[in-house]
């Protein structure tokens, strides 16, 4: 579940409010180290997406899948909005995704570029608590 949520988030986190581009377009630079491991979740969703590809874009499907994950993990039911447009290439994504080796300044610059406040950034970073759920249920 965490991997699907992370896939959708990485698609979204390339948005720039300054340049008004990037964001959810069903396109990720999978060879970029910051996206390491996410091909697995793209490939997991792809056969399911193919059933619905005449109805919605890949970006909409990834967004919808992440809402399903949030709900299945015990989170709220978040209303879904359609209309994201897919891109075959996303060169503007380069350098926009978070580098986990950097600190607070880097994180705040990223969330400000996305249009979020510090408070909203803290709430969104709470998504990382999902990572331990599988491990906890096995313990
Ligand atoms: C500055 C921002 C962020 C940084 C530096 C960051 C960094 C990371 C790192 C290093 C991982 C582990 C990746 C791995 O297992 O190889 C991770 C996982 C994850 N991230 Fe983030 N992240 C950020 C923002 C977000 C946001 C905004 C969300 C969602 C709202 C999110 C959702 C997740 C989820 C769900 C996982 C777990 C994936 C899994 O279980 O495989 N992240 N993140």
């Amino acid at each position: 579940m965490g991997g699907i949520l992370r896939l959708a988030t990485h698609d979204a986190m390339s948005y720039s409010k300054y340049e008004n581009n990037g964001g959810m377009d069903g396109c990720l630079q999978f060879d970029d180290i910051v996206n390491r491991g996410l091909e697995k979740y793209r490939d997991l969703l792809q056969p399911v997406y193919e059933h619905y590809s005449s109805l919605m874009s890949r970006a909409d499907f990834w967004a919808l899948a992440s809402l399903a994950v949030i709900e299945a993990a015990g989170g709220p039911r978040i209303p879904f909005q359609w209309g994201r447009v897919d891109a075959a290439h996303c060169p503007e994504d380069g350098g926009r995704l978070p580098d986990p080796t950097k600190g607070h300044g880097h994180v705040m610059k990223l969330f400000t570029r996305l249009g979020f406040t510090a408070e909203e950034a803290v709430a969104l970073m709470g998504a990382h608590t999902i990572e331990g759920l599988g491990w906890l249920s096995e313990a």
Side-chain angles (χ1 to χ4, degrees), residues 28-83:
L28 247 70
Q29 296 180 353
F30 288 101
D31 54 354
D32 186 333
I33 190 147
V34 293
N35 292 323
R36 190 173 55 187
L38 289 176
E39 306 94 321
K40 186 173 142 189
Y41 300 98
R42 173 200 60 192
D43 296 348
L44 185 79
L45 291 178
Q46 187 57 24
V48 188
Y49 172 60
E50 278 163 18
H51 286 289
Y52 302 101
S53 58
S54 62
L55 292 176
M56 64 175 82
S57 64
R58 178 178 286 104
D60 272 350
F61 188 74
W62 287 354
L64 187 57
S66 71
L67 297 187
V69 162
I70 291 166
E71 195 177 337
R77 172 171 282 203
I78 300 171
F80 173 66
Q81 295 187 347
W82 302 79

Side-chain angles (χ1 to χ4, degrees), residues 94-116:
R96 286 192 181 171
L97 288 169
D99 177 347
T101 65
K102 294 192 176 154
H104 174 260
H106 170 74
V107 170
M108 280 321 300
K109 209 169 147 190
L110 180 142
F111 281 107
T112 305
R113 195 198 69 227
L114 292 171
F116 292 117

Side-chain angles (χ1 to χ4, degrees), residues 2-3 5-6 9 13 41 98 100 107 111 124-125 127-128 130-131:
L5 183 53
R6 185 164 175 251
T9 305
M13 282 199 293
Y41 300 98
V107 170
F111 281 107
L124 282 165
M125 291 300 263
H128 292 105
I130 205 172
E131 207 178 3

